[in-house]
Amino acid sequence: MNRANRLSLLLAALLASTGIAHAEGELNIYNWGNYTSPEMVKKFEQTFDVKVTLTDYDSSDTALAKARQGGSGYDVVVVNQVYVPIWVKEGLLMELDASGMENFRNVAPEWVSADFDPGRKYTIPWAVGTTGVVVNSDTYKGDADSWSIVFNPPEELKGKVNVVPELNDVMAAAIQYVGGEQCTADKAVLKKVRDLLVNAKADWIAMEYNTIEKMAAGDFKATLAWNGAGFRARMKNQAIRFHYPKEGYGVWSDNAAVLKDAKNAENARLFINFVMDPENAAMNSAFHGYANGIAGSEKFMPDAMKNAPEIVIPAESREGGQLQRLCSAEAQDLYTRIWTDLRK
């Protein structure tokens, strides 16, 4: 045996003994924009000799529509928990049995199993967050712990409020504000919701996803948005505050999965296991600004995130959180009709 062959065998044995897998080729990830750490991706590429390509989508409905067409060329997709049962039912996701992966032991107990994916057969946690109100405290100095900031804004904020155009989040917030139950199909309640939203729109400046830069720059003075976006905006402008509405607020999780028709399935599985490592999960959180559902990642987080009120829910607000779920077809149809009226 020549020296080169002996060296190759030695390297292979070393990789096997340390548990480091080797791969090569490509991986195509489909995710929300501005939601995947370039640093984490670079580390994955260097560790496994895999070239990663990121493609952004702008809404959960866009992602689902693309997957339904088939042949997207994507391998890994990040799916909100409300939509996971739809993806599973329609056979769009590969069964992973993530619980058998090495790094699954790092998943926080509360996220080991989930109603939207019992036994974690298809998904693993990517990010965990909340939906609330973000306000510029230089513009408005009153109490902001209410959805009224969005749906009945004070004079200081009229014409300066943005709303992220995500149907489920907006409808859930409006239903909470009028005192309804999550996923209600009560037409009397939903008439109140419809009237509330259509009337409130006159006081909004926009319905855009780009809340981080525009809140930081002062283009928006308040917005219905997510806690990580509020945190990232505050890092750019210390006047920004994230609030948990007293009427209740949504708790959500986004989850990484592998598409059923993935062409790079083994590399996708490597990536799924990779992001459940606490240090890698923290790297991702440091970029997107959300918690991640991976126990032990906290110690690797940037100091600014460790006790941030946007990330660590204050004790007085914890009871108000409600995990958002997939509503009945009847309710969802009614919500879509209201949403269509709102978007006219």
Side-chain angles (χ1 to χ4, degrees):
M1 182 181 293
N2 64 36
R3 185 175 183 274
N5 287 339
R6 287 198 303 271
L7 185 60
S8 296
L9 289 173
L10 179 61
L11 178 58
L14 178 62
L15 291 173
S17 67
T18 56
I20 300 174
H22 178 74
E24 60 183 11
E26 300 178 349
L27 179 68
N28 297 296
I29 300 174
Y30 195 38
N31 198 357
W32 288 92
N34 208 18
Y35 206 33
T36 310
S37 164
E39 184 182 4
M40 184 196 67
V41 166
K42 183 178 180 180
K43 180 180 178 182
F44 177 79
E45 289 180 320
Q46 293 176 341
T47 302
F48 296 108
D49 191 24
V50 171
K51 173 62 179 174
V52 174
T53 300
L54 293 173
T55 303
D56 300 342
Y57 61 76
D58 60 2
S59 74
S60 295
D61 288 320
T62 297
L64 180 58
K66 185 70 173 178
R68 281 170 169 164
Q69 293 173 7
S72 67
Y74 305 129
D75 303 305
V76 172
V77 63
V78 175
V79 183
N80 180 266
Q81 92 280 346
V82 171
Y83 285 77
V84 168
I86 300 173
W87 288 68
V88 171
K89 183 179 180 180
E90 296 189 14
L92 299 172
L93 301 180
M94 182 179 295
E95 191 164 334
L96 292 174
D97 286 326
S99 61
M101 293 183 173
E102 178 187 4
N103 284 332
F104 189 80
R105 66 179 185 271
N106 299 316
V107 174
E110 63 270 28
W111 296 107
V112 164
S113 190
D115 291 343
F116 56 85
D117 183 13
R120 285 289 183 181
K121 291 184 178 179
Y122 297 92
T123 68
I124 59 100
W126 178 269
V128 176
T130 57
T131 307
V133 176
V134 185
V135 175
N136 186 315
S137 62
D138 285 342
T139 301
Y140 180 68
K141 301 185 183 300
D143 292 337
D145 61 340
S146 170
W147 287 120
S148 64
I149 293 294
V150 174
F151 302 128
N152 186 22
E155 286 299 321
E156 300 98 310
L157 296 175
K158 286 186 176 180
K160 303 170 184 176
V161 177
N162 177 65
V163 172
V164 294
E166 192 70 16
L167 182 156
N168 290 315
D169 293 310
V170 176
M171 286 298 300
I175 289 168
Q176 287 171 321
Y177 185 60
V178 302
E181 296 293 325
Q182 181 179 193
C183 286
T184 183
D186 186 315
K187 292 183 179 178
V189 171
L190 294 179
K191 183 181 185 306
K192 291 181 182 178
V193 168
R194 188 262 178 200
D195 293 345
L196 175 75
L197 289 171
V198 171
N199 291 331
K201 189 177 179 181
D203 292 325
W204 301 344
I205 189 174
M207 293 184 72
E208 293 185 15
Y209 286 107
N210 185 20
T211 62
I212 299 170
E213 299 299 332
K214 291 195 173 183
M215 281 297 300
D219 297 332
F220 301 152
K221 300 300 183 181
T223 185
L224 182 157
W226 304 297
N227 60 321
F231 169 76
R232 292 174 71 177
R234 181 168 64 83
M235 291 298 98
K236 296 173 179 290
N237 181 341
Q238 289 298 306
I240 305 303
R241 299 286 184 273
F242 179 84
H243 299 270
Y244 299 88
K246 60 189 176 184
E247 298 89 358
Y249 59 89
V251 177
W252 51 264
S253 74
D254 286 334
N255 305 271
V258 178
L259 282 160
K260 186 72 171 286
D261 60 359
K263 296 188 183 304
N264 302 291
E266 287 309 307
N267 289 344
R269 290 177 64 86
L270 281 176
F271 184 79
I272 293 292
N273 188 59
F274 180 83
V275 296
M276 289 188 288
D277 176 272
E279 190 169 358
N280 298 333
M283 196 179 299
N284 211 25
S285 285
F287 177 77
H288 59 51
Y290 296 92
N292 54 56
I294 302 300
S297 65
E298 300 83 3
K299 65 182 179 181
F300 299 106
M301 296 277 200
D303 289 341
M305 287 188 72
K306 290 179 179 177
N307 296 301
E310 301 93 345
I311 312 302
V312 181
I313 302 173
E316 64 271 18
S317 300
R318 288 174 190 164
E319 291 186 4
Q322 188 173 37
L323 184 67
Q324 293 174 267
R325 67 178 192 272
L326 179 65
C327 300
S328 68
E330 177 191 7
Q332 205 65 39
D333 180 62
L334 293 169
Y335 299 170
T336 300
R337 294 183 194 179
I338 294 172
W339 190 251
T340 300
D341 286 345
L342 179 64
R343 298 292 275 162
K344 286 179 180 176

